[in-house]
Amino acid sequence: MLILGQDEKAKYPFLTDAGEYLKDKGFPLVQFGTDPVLKLSVEKAFHRIQVATEGQIYKSDLIDGQASKPFILEREVFSFLLAVVLIKLTGMSTLTKRFALAEARRAEKHLEKDLGNASDKSKIDLAIRIIDDLFSVQVEKLDDYFVIPVSDYLKHSINFHEREWKLINRHVEHGKVFLTPHETVRLIRTELGTYINSKIVNAKTPTMISGFEDYVNKLVLLSKKFTTFTVTTGEYPPCIKHAIEILEKGENLPHSGRFMLATFLLSKGQSVEQITPLFKNAPDYNERVTLYQLNHLAGTSGSGTQYSCPSCTKLKTQSLCFAIPECDNIISPLQFGKKRK
Amino acid sequence: MEESDIKFLEESFKKYYFDHFDLIRVPERTSEREFGYQKFNSGMTRHISIKDDKELHLLLMQNIPSDVYCSNAYYSFPNLPMNEKDWKEADLIFDIDAKDLNLSCRQDHTISICNDCNEVSKNSDQCIKCNSIKLEKKSLPCKNCIDFSKIEVSKLSEILIDDFAITSEDIHVYFSGNEGFHVYVYNSQFQQIGSRERSELVDYLMLHGIMPETFGMKKFKPNRSSFPDFNEKGWRGRFSKQMFGSKSKRSKIISELLVNGYTSFQKDLDNISEKIGVKVDPNVTMDIHRIFRLPGSINSKSGLTKILCRDLKKFDPYSEASFLNDDSIEIFANCPIEFKLKNKKFGPYTNEKITVPTYAAVYMICKKLATID
């Protein structure tokens, strides 16, 4: 269990136990709805969420992670805890996600600063311990770098789609990956977001507190703006077109290519009977085997697992990707041609 | 395959299994592994759990499989359906196959067998008899294929040791029984990583997805100082040895690279990755539920045994992995390419009746280039 100082609680408020914190401070939740001084913290909490929904990071009153007055530190923690309460009261999951992400990015900034703090070893140690405790990533400091085991690196980096995060574009030595403080923290951003998100999801929803209604109503209105619509062009992505071409020519499509094609078409709602004829030209075509395999993929036979279409990254590794500009950084062939409006 | 051929192969395989129990041992942590086997002309039987060598030998004698497999993964319940097995971890495995190396010699020893009329011809895209394009390709790999596969194995081991801190004792290399090698890595930090992570490892080893910036070329204001040096570790060091050739040429070549620019550098990288990247089959390493050919078992594509290579450099599969007996047998062969087994040359044969040792007969029948009658 991490023992946090007052300023760490302000930097990483999601590490505190909300109920206990308020109890320690001696303020019941209802008091925040009525007490004019405490209400400032609710106002701040609302602002904290609003900023998050705009994709911005909430600017705290801390200067270099330090507070000029003790009550500022307290208000930092209060506003976070109250923001969670407000979000729970709205019941909108889109707010949870956006808030968690923004808070993760905010915490990320503090973690990065602490890791890069050459003069204060205790700050570096605490940041390293937070990363280890929360995400089981063992970070060691080596000269100007932070090194982590390749396997730990991969568990997190596979969620990134930018090329610079590929292991091949990293300095790797003796089973470790070398990272800057910024990269070390960036690596766990998603998990930090997920962690904060789960904290909010698992928090109890209180009954409506008098004095909170206005904020909650405003937030509900705000979150309704985020619903998006998508339209589909219906055209197949180049990898799928390529696979179909190969089969039409009677050439051999490797097993991985057949898997991709079948799972793609199944996901698009085609039936096994509709897909089978595509494989007729394959050099080793056997209707019985093809039907068996397609039914297996569709989950209608065997274990009942429905197999999903491989991601673009996987297809690249298998040399099945023939990306064109229209692919536009999608991460699965299934997203091809979908436009957000 | 004809009944008589299957009968002959089964008899030969059974004798091998019976005589070589010493070669066919269960792997460590046996009870956590999934086993599977195939019989000639039949589908796969898998989700089998086995306790020890005795049980394995019994399975071999009772079923006389054409191929035997064992998972590289460890499960709590290996005999249950896949989603109930409770996957725990998996050894890292690599498949290096001569067919993936784009070797020029392949042309000379690949045979096309027509699926429609069974005509056998030297490598072609269309059957010379009935023009069908449904052709099955069979290769009789040569020494060159094996030598180049060995180079890939050495490249792989070097990176595993230098970059991933794996000890050479934990890397076991097996001849696959046909035309390549299977490499196992034990006790590494990668035991518990999933399929997507393994796919990233593969890209690293194959030098796929490299950015020019990684090797020092920037899009804007590129400068000399960021290019890698000879004695650097990892891919930057290997790249500079390949790109510059010698230390004295480094400076001149960097000047040329800077003149040619970013896009040209990306093309250079693609060429280099083709040369120095390790050519493994990505699908094998990525698959964490695979059942992989069991060491000591026979590969039915050739009749040769999957066997541990203690000294890779000296290893000659065509004399060391052929364990079937020398009893003479008469077969009808249509094998347009010469091959060597146990230091004896065979072929070429054109639709003729010949008498050869069992190991050579099995080799040709497995390749569909001969029959018993």
Side-chain angles (χ1 to χ4, degrees):
Chain A
M1 182 68 195
L2 285 167
I3 297 161
L4 302 172
Q6 202 48 247
D7 60 333
E8 269 106 29
K9 281 185 187 162
K11 282 192 282 190
Y12 313 115
F14 49 87
L15 294 174
T16 57
D17 181 304
E20 242 160 58
Y21 187 83
L22 294 176
K23 208 162 73 188
D24 276 0
K25 297 287 165 193
F27 299 119
L29 208 46
V30 281
Q31 214 175 320
F32 284 89
T34 48
D35 186 313
V37 179
L38 288 181
K39 214 170 174 181
L40 286 177
S41 293
V42 188
E43 180 69 40
K44 210 168 173 56
F46 174 78
H47 171 68
R48 209 163 167 153
I49 304 169
Q50 197 181 27
V51 166
T53 60
E54 288 159 3
Q56 311 274 319
I57 303 172
Y58 156 77
K59 261 203 188 132
S60 70
D61 298 330
L62 303 179
I63 300 156
D64 280 341
Q66 304 287 329
S68 50
K69 292 193 179 90
F71 78 87
I72 291 183
L73 272 180
E74 244 168 44
R75 210 157 63 194
E76 284 293 313
V77 188
F78 281 153
S79 65
F80 174 84
L81 301 177
L82 291 167
V84 175
V85 171
L86 287 176
I87 291 172
K88 293 302 285 188
L89 286 171
T90 65
M92 306 296 279
S93 64
T94 146
L95 281 183
T96 312
K97 277 190 200 134
R98 280 164 201 260
F99 179 69
L101 181 69
E103 284 298 318
R105 287 175 61 199
R106 176 179 167 275
E108 197 183 315
K109 285 199 161 167
H110 288 300
L111 271 176
E112 188 183 330
K113 208 165 215 168
D114 285 352
L115 276 182
N117 193 325
S119 59
D120 192 344
K121 196 173 168 301
S122 70
K123 284 213 159 60
I124 299 180
D125 288 347
L126 183 89
I128 287 180
R129 279 196 38 224
I130 291 179
I131 294 172
D132 188 5
D133 268 32
L134 260 47
F135 312 110
S136 312
V137 176
Q138 273 139 38
V139 184
E140 274 172 67
K141 191 162 163 44
L142 193 78
D143 301 328
D144 289 342
Y145 289 96
F146 289 87
V147 298
I148 68 169
V150 174
S151 50
D152 280 348
Y153 175 81
L154 290 176
K155 278 178 210 157
H156 299 272
S157 69
I158 50 162
N159 298 316
F160 298 148
H161 303 288
E162 297 89 357
R163 272 209 299 177
E164 61 257 38
W165 288 98
K166 282 190 76 63
L167 186 64
I168 185 70
N169 292 311
R170 292 281 140 195
H171 177 138
V172 180
E173 214 178 298
H174 295 304
K176 303 266 168 87
V177 181
F178 286 59
L179 300 170
T180 63
H182 173 72
E183 290 162 344
T184 309
V185 175
R186 174 69 184 86
L187 190 65
I188 51 152
R189 176 188 289 174
T190 320
E191 284 79 2
L192 198 56
T194 313
Y195 180 83
I196 299 174
N197 196 57
S198 73
K199 273 244 160 176
I200 304 174
V201 170
N202 294 329
K204 266 193 243 152
T205 310
T207 45
M208 182 54 84
I209 298 149
S210 144
F212 280 31
E213 299 92 339
D214 269 1
Y215 296 114
V216 172
N217 290 339
K218 273 194 230 163
L219 286 174
V220 171
L221 277 179
L222 195 64
S223 64
K224 284 195 174 144
K225 280 199 292 193
F226 303 128
T227 329
T228 52
F229 300 94
T230 54
V231 283
T232 316
T233 58
E235 200 179 331
Y236 287 160
C239 46
I240 301 296
K241 278 190 187 161
H242 177 261
I244 295 176
E245 267 168 38
I246 295 262
L247 284 173
E248 278 174 352
K249 278 194 262 175
E251 288 172 13
N252 188 44
L253 183 66
H255 174 75
S256 47
R258 298 176 193 202
F259 181 88
M260 166 193 74
L261 181 59
T263 48
F264 176 87
L265 295 173
L266 285 167
S267 295
K268 289 281 176 195
Q270 292 205 17
S271 68
V272 168
E273 289 69 28
Q274 283 171 302
I275 302 172
T276 315
L278 266 178
F279 294 96
K280 264 202 172 124
N281 277 334
D284 51 356
Y285 178 72
N286 176 328
E287 190 177 343
R288 192 180 57 85
V289 175
T290 304
L291 273 174
Y292 168 80
Q293 291 179 334
L294 285 173
N295 277 314
H296 201 89
L297 294 182
T300 41
S301 73
S303 61
T305 314
Q306 200 178 336
Y307 288 82
S308 49
C309 185
S311 67
C312 295
T313 331
K314 191 157 187 173
L315 297 175
K316 268 186 202 123
T317 310
Q318 295 172 321
S319 308
L320 292 170
C321 168
F322 300 88
I324 50 172
E326 286 78 48
C327 287
D328 199 17
N329 290 324
I330 52 171
I331 58 173
S332 155
L334 290 167
Q335 294 170 322
F336 185 82
K338 272 187 192 166
K339 280 254 151 57
R340 275 169 196 271
K341 274 205 165 167
Chain B
M1 209 178 268
E2 299 290 327
E3 272 304 312
S4 51
D5 294 330
I6 292 177
K7 196 167 159 260
F8 169 67
L9 291 180
E10 283 186 339
E11 275 166 14
S12 312
F13 280 30
K14 187 172 185 179
K15 186 163 172 22
Y16 165 81
Y17 289 136
F18 188 77
D19 292 342
H20 292 93
F21 279 160
D22 56 318
L23 286 178
I24 320 160
R25 311 294 294 271
V26 290
E28 278 181 32
R29 296 171 63 180
T30 319
S31 59
E32 294 168 83
R33 313 259 193 177
E34 178 198 353
F35 289 79
Y37 66 85
Q38 256 173 316
K39 285 170 71 79
F40 289 99
N41 276 4
S42 168
M44 176 82 82
T45 309
R46 59 184 293 183
H47 312 300
I48 300 170
S49 73
I50 281 178
K51 255 200 340 265
D52 50 24
D53 284 339
K54 243 183 171 172
E55 256 190 41
L56 172 66
H57 297 157
L58 187 68
L59 178 140
L60 297 178
M61 297 319 290
Q62 279 178 338
N63 296 289
I64 322 167
S66 64
D67 301 271
V68 191
Y69 306 93
C70 171
S71 67
N72 57 320
Y74 304 83
Y75 304 99
S76 303
F77 312 105
N79 56 336
L80 293 187
M82 199 48 89
N83 48 5
E84 294 168 31
K85 278 186 172 19
D86 186 22
W87 187 92
K88 291 198 259 188
E89 55 182 288
D91 302 325
L92 203 53
I93 50 169
F94 299 97
D95 179 17
I96 288 169
D97 203 307
K99 78 170 184 314
D100 300 328
L101 305 183
N102 305 321
L103 299 171
S104 56
C105 63
R106 301 290 293 176
Q107 280 283 51
D108 309 332
H109 52 67
T110 301
I111 296 161
S112 307
I113 306 168
C114 178
N115 271 354
D116 288 335
C117 74
N118 286 329
E119 176 70 13
V120 173
S121 56
K122 279 208 171 182
N123 194 20
S124 57
D125 295 328
Q126 228 172 358
C127 175
I128 46 169
K129 200 169 160 194
C130 74
N131 289 336
S132 167
I133 50 162
K134 292 191 177 179
L135 300 174
E136 193 177 344
K137 306 269 180 179
K138 291 277 173 187
S139 172
L140 273 59
C142 65
K143 186 171 179 302
N144 191 51
C145 292
I146 297 302
D147 288 346
F148 274 93
S149 305
K150 283 182 182 176
I151 294 176
E152 295 304 314
V153 174
S154 307
K155 276 157 66 180
L156 172 66
S157 305
E158 187 194 307
I159 300 176
L160 290 174
I161 293 168
D162 291 350
D163 295 13
F164 295 147
I166 288 162
T167 60
S168 57
E169 294 76 40
D170 282 327
I171 303 175
H172 293 193
V173 180
Y174 289 84
F175 169 60
S176 72
N178 193 26
E179 40 184 347
F181 293 91
H182 291 170
V183 180
Y184 292 71
V185 175
Y186 301 107
N187 307 316
S188 75
Q189 55 168 307
F190 305 114
Q191 286 290 122
Q192 283 166 11
I193 62 171
S195 177
R196 286 166 68 208
E197 289 88 346
R198 285 170 202 243
S199 150
E200 268 297 302
L201 272 187
V202 170
D203 281 345
Y204 183 87
L205 295 161
M206 297 182 87
L207 197 57
H208 275 174
I210 190 94
M211 289 165 73
E213 286 81 355
T214 305
F215 291 151
M217 175 59 96
K218 292 179 196 148
K219 226 176 204 162
F220 304 105
K221 293 192 186 162
N223 62 64
R224 313 182 67 86
S225 63
S226 44
F227 282 90
D229 223 329
F230 258 66
N231 37 22
E232 274 187 58
K233 302 254 174 149
W235 275 119
R236 278 173 62 91
R238 288 187 284 271
F239 164 84
S240 72
K241 283 180 195 96
Q242 175 70 27
M243 188 81 206
F244 307 135
S246 70
K247 278 185 186 169
S248 55
K249 288 191 202 148
R250 183 174 177 271
S251 177
K252 190 174 157 254
I253 293 177
I254 291 180
S255 305
E256 284 170 17
L257 292 174
L258 288 171
V259 171
N260 295 339
Y262 189 86
T263 320
S264 150
F265 190 76
Q266 179 75 66
K267 279 190 195 129
D268 293 340
L269 282 182
D270 293 343
N271 291 333
I272 281 189
S273 102
E274 186 58 33
K275 285 196 191 107
I276 61 174
V278 188
K279 292 183 191 67
V280 297
D281 179 344
N283 296 309
V284 172
T285 308
M286 279 153 68
D287 187 351
I288 57 168
H289 299 106
R290 177 170 287 257
I291 44 175
F292 206 31
R293 195 172 292 289
L294 180 75
S297 69
I298 303 179
N299 188 328
S300 76
K301 289 178 196 154
S302 65
L304 301 176
T305 299
K306 171 165 171 177
I307 187 172
L308 182 68
C309 310
R310 292 187 199 280
D311 185 347
L312 185 67
K313 265 192 189 146
K314 286 191 194 144
F315 181 77
D316 173 10
Y318 302 108
S319 65
E320 291 174 52
S322 178
F323 287 92
L324 300 181
N325 64 65
D326 298 356
D327 300 350
S328 291
I329 175 96
E330 194 179 69
I331 53 167
F332 185 77
N334 188 6
C335 175
I337 287 164
E338 183 188 286
F339 65 95
K340 211 172 139 185
L341 276 181
K342 292 198 189 179
N343 296 317
K344 245 180 114 175
K345 278 185 186 164
F346 298 93
Y349 307 112
T350 346
N351 287 318
E352 53 193 298
K353 242 185 190 166
I354 48 165
T355 303
V356 289
T358 297
Y359 61 85
V362 167
Y363 187 70
M364 283 185 275
I365 295 173
C366 284
K367 298 274 179 195
K368 296 191 181 169
L369 301 171
T371 53
I372 276 295
D373 288 314

